[in-house]
Amino acid sequence: GIRLNYSCDVQLKDSIMISYLPFMGRSYNLAPGQPNSGFDFTGEIEDYAYKKRKKGYQVKVDVKNGPDYLKYTFYITGSGASTLTVSSTQRQSISYYGSIGTLQ
């Protein structure tokens, strides 16, 4: 894994996702001139689902960013520790590790 020295996050507000995540990996089918800078966008949530797991919750959120269809899957423990996996139609899957909090 690569340790990040700056802040990155994903915020869910009503039916909107604000994503500010870096991306390091392989990209597929990106149009010429389309930036390959990461998952940095604001988009409307198309679908979501959650399940209670043995040691926490799994939350799946689907969102579209231009031609890219993204599935954000959060695995959240009771203590708030979280793993986020982002699957994309345009890029290789990537995982992030962090914590869940509420916005003030």
Side-chain angles (χ1 to χ4, degrees):
I2 297 173
R3 204 154 201 30
L4 302 175
N5 292 329
Y6 57 90
S7 179
C8 57
D9 68 358
V10 175
Q11 297 177 24
L12 304 174
K13 296 181 179 181
D14 299 319
S15 63
I16 301 295
M17 172 186 280
I18 302 167
S19 177
Y20 181 63
L21 297 172
F23 175 77
M24 299 194 66
R26 185 169 294 193
S27 297
Y28 314 103
N29 301 322
L30 288 178
Q34 184 176 353
N36 187 14
S37 61
F39 300 113
D40 184 7
F41 66 93
T42 298
E44 189 168 335
I45 295 170
E46 295 199 353
D47 195 18
Y48 71 92
Y50 68 92
K51 290 182 186 178
K52 177 124 176 70
R53 295 290 194 190
K54 207 184 295 188
K55 296 184 179 183
Y57 293 88
Q58 175 187 39
V59 179
K60 293 183 179 183
V61 180
D62 298 338
V63 64
K64 205 169 177 189
N65 181 28
D68 201 2
Y69 184 75
L70 303 160
K71 181 176 292 289
Y72 282 55
T73 304
F74 299 87
Y75 296 97
I76 306 163
T77 68
S79 67
S82 179
T83 301
L84 166 60
T85 300
V86 180
S87 301
S88 163
T89 57
Q90 302 288 318
R91 303 170 196 218
Q92 178 179 27
S93 292
I94 187 170
S95 294
Y96 305 88
Y97 305 94
S99 59
I100 297 292
T102 57
L103 296 173
Q104 300 299 328

